[in-house]
Amino acid sequence: MARLDTILVKTASRCNLDCSYCYVYQGKDTSWKEQPKRMSLATIDHLVKRLVEQAELQDIGFAIVLHGGEPLLLGYNRLEYLLKSLRENLSSEDYPISIQTNGALLNNKFLDLFSLYRANVSISLDGDKETNDLSRLTAQGNSSFYDVISAIKLLQNHKDSDFLFSGTLSVIQLESPAKKTYDFFKSLNVPSMDFLLQDGNIDRLPKGKSSLLSTEYGDWTIDLLGEYINDDSPIRIAFLDDLIRLCLGGDSIKEGKGSQKYGILIIETDGEIRKNDTLRSSYDGADFFSIREYISDTSLNKVLQSEEFQDLSNLQCKTSDICNSCSYLSICGGGMPLYRWSDKNAYDNPSVYCSDHMVLIKKIKDILKDNV
Ligand code: SF4
């Protein structure tokens, strides 16, 4: 029986930044334009009802992630309503709430609210000003860097900082060497950092990747690994910890690696239940279920137990013949579906990052062989 692991809630369908790599606003899919700008109180009520209903059906909890667009655009009052309603029904131990924000709108009033209802905050930031300005600008072309740094300072100075500030999330910018990026986040003294690959697929190579066989991202992440393991007091890097754990025979804790499947659903601002929205970069409408369902009249469990969700879930592990005979499959998992897309074979390809995954996994295995 499929279960819910993560519910990603689009509290706002717009953003106060205009990042050049954004899969929501810069991609082929323009359905966000038809979404209400903010989730209504009625939709919040339906959402909470559906989550409580789902919690009663599962014997383990699930993560609730507030996302956007920019989730703080929901506004203080509605965020308070949402968080209060969630926490009145779902405990912070079993149903962690996290907020992925660009930080530009963050203030102490928000932080006190998040502290009260036990919601932690991850800040999106790609690196120092020069690196961050490569993609993360406002619609007017202005830098967002100093606003984000102010948000990080607010988080660090809050009395509940240890709980509130979970870390930073960056998209890898090859223009900035891994050492420079690692040193920058170290100097900021963030509690953890994590990195995403640039969007791309077999038909559309990611920025800075010259061919399917090239290893620019593999080389960058190997450099990052070097900084990480040679640091006497390292700052946690989640994706590297995940890969190291997998190489040691353990499990991944996040989709996109290993062989575990995760039950992930998205709720749009109008209450529509969607597939993982990273699929949007494949083709227009890739994240729509064939029958459009809304939380106002459909339970999450009905969608989770549907054949289409089963197919979606299998997609996380369904891999090409090349992957099935690859010695790294149990660690790599074939890569996230969005990176495997081609118009010709759909998702039945190795990841566009296959060569990068191979060199990084080989490096980790070599290091473990010499040290464990
Ligand atoms: S390394 Fe490449 S071939 Fe091997 S499982 Fe990953 S994507 Fe597939």
Side-chain angles (χ1 to χ4, degrees), residues 322-323 326 328-329 332-335 350-351 354-355 357-358 361:
I322 296 172
C323 293
C326 172
Y328 295 146
L329 177 61
C332 167
S351 168
C354 173
S355 311
H357 292 324
M358 281 193 182
I361 295 169

Side-chain angles (χ1 to χ4, degrees), residues 226-239:
E227 296 304 317
Y228 191 36
I229 60 176
N230 289 315
D231 187 345
D232 290 338
S233 54
I235 291 180
R236 181 171 177 262
I237 303 178
F239 89 95

Side-chain angles (χ1 to χ4, degrees), residues 211-274:
S211 76
L212 289 176
L213 296 179
S214 67
T215 59
E216 293 89 345
Y217 286 86
D219 299 341
W220 194 97
T221 48
I222 285 173
D223 288 347
L224 185 71
L225 175 72
E227 296 304 317
Y228 191 36
I229 60 176
N230 289 315
D231 187 345
D232 290 338
S233 54
I235 291 180
R236 181 171 177 262
I237 303 178
F239 89 95
L240 287 177
D241 285 358
D242 241 13
L243 280 176
I244 293 167
R245 194 181 310 106
L246 281 162
C247 287
L248 288 167
D251 286 329
S252 164
I253 54 168
K254 215 172 156 190
E255 58 149 357
K257 296 180 220 60
S259 50
Q260 206 164 323
K261 298 179 198 169
Y262 293 91
I264 302 169
L265 287 174
I266 309 281
I267 307 298
E268 290 290 338
T269 52
D270 65 352
E272 183 173 359
I273 305 168
R274 296 257 192 109

